[in-house]
Amino acid sequence: MRRPLLLVLTLLLVATGCHKEPIYELDQVDLRPPSPDKDQLKTNEEYAAILHANLFQTGLSANALFELGQCIESIGDKELAREVLISNFMNKPGVILPSDTAMRADLDAFITDTYRRFLVRDPSEAERTWFRNMIAADPNITSELVYYAFALSNEHLYY
């Protein structure tokens, strides 16, 4: 009689004593903006040189850089000067742009390549999702428009 009672008490203790509390673990999330270390403004010559390298995958001569720098410096509205520079580069032969078909065939690769090319970093997941949804929803968005937007972005102006 004592043995079954002891067995029942042991089972009760085991059943109530082995209750495991759930453990909630959180991933560490970096809440800083994606480019917190970029704080040095590019000079006009640096901007033109990097833009040319991004669009043509080649460098500019020192004379051409000097002339472009002087041209940008002579225009009061620097953003307008950069827009004109980008438009001129985009209209020249030899610009390396992915086709729209290639862009839409693999949006994730296009977005990652564009971020690396212009901003020298990988996109955050939120940025990737936003661009993927925007490009997928609008058939009028071309790779040229995306490159134009990245070239004019504030982040592209800083190291």
Side-chain angles (χ1 to χ4, degrees):
M1 190 66 172
R2 273 179 75 190
R3 200 168 196 167
L5 183 61
L6 185 60
L7 183 62
V8 169
L9 284 175
T10 304
L11 287 176
L12 279 173
L13 285 174
V14 169
T16 59
C18 290
H19 179 67
K20 190 172 183 178
E21 292 293 324
I23 298 173
Y24 300 101
E25 294 181 8
L26 300 175
D27 293 333
Q28 293 292 327
V29 177
D30 188 4
L31 299 177
R32 296 180 307 160
S35 58
D37 301 327
K38 294 182 179 180
D39 58 356
Q40 292 185 342
L41 185 65
K42 295 174 185 168
T43 64
N44 294 330
E45 290 83 5
E46 290 169 336
Y47 179 82
I50 291 170
L51 179 65
H52 190 273
N54 287 339
L55 294 177
F56 295 94
Q57 303 294 309
T58 61
L60 274 173
S61 68
N63 288 339
L65 277 177
F66 178 75
E67 288 176 10
L68 288 174
Q70 293 295 312
C71 181
I72 294 172
E73 192 62 37
S74 67
I75 299 173
D77 187 349
K78 302 299 178 222
E79 187 167 336
L80 176 64
R82 287 190 289 270
E83 288 179 17
V84 171
L85 179 64
I86 295 166
S87 294
N88 283 337
F89 280 171
M90 290 283 192
N91 289 324
K92 285 187 173 181
V95 173
I96 300 173
L97 288 172
S99 70
D100 294 336
T101 306
M103 174 184 74
R104 292 185 185 281
D106 192 355
L107 283 176
D108 285 335
F110 171 75
I111 293 166
T112 300
D113 179 59
T114 304
Y115 267 84
R116 288 179 180 165
R117 179 181 287 200
F118 285 94
L119 305 181
V120 194
R121 66 176 178 88
D122 287 331
S124 69
E125 201 54 43
E127 292 167 331
R128 180 188 316 276
T129 301
W130 188 85
F131 266 103
R132 187 184 316 121
N133 292 341
M134 182 190 71
I135 294 170
D138 190 347
N140 296 320
I141 293 177
T142 63
S143 59
E144 183 177 344
L145 287 174
V146 174
Y147 276 23
Y148 192 88
F150 272 79
L152 270 181
S153 70
N154 285 336
E155 187 175 340
H156 189 251
L157 291 174
Y158 288 88
Y159 284 115

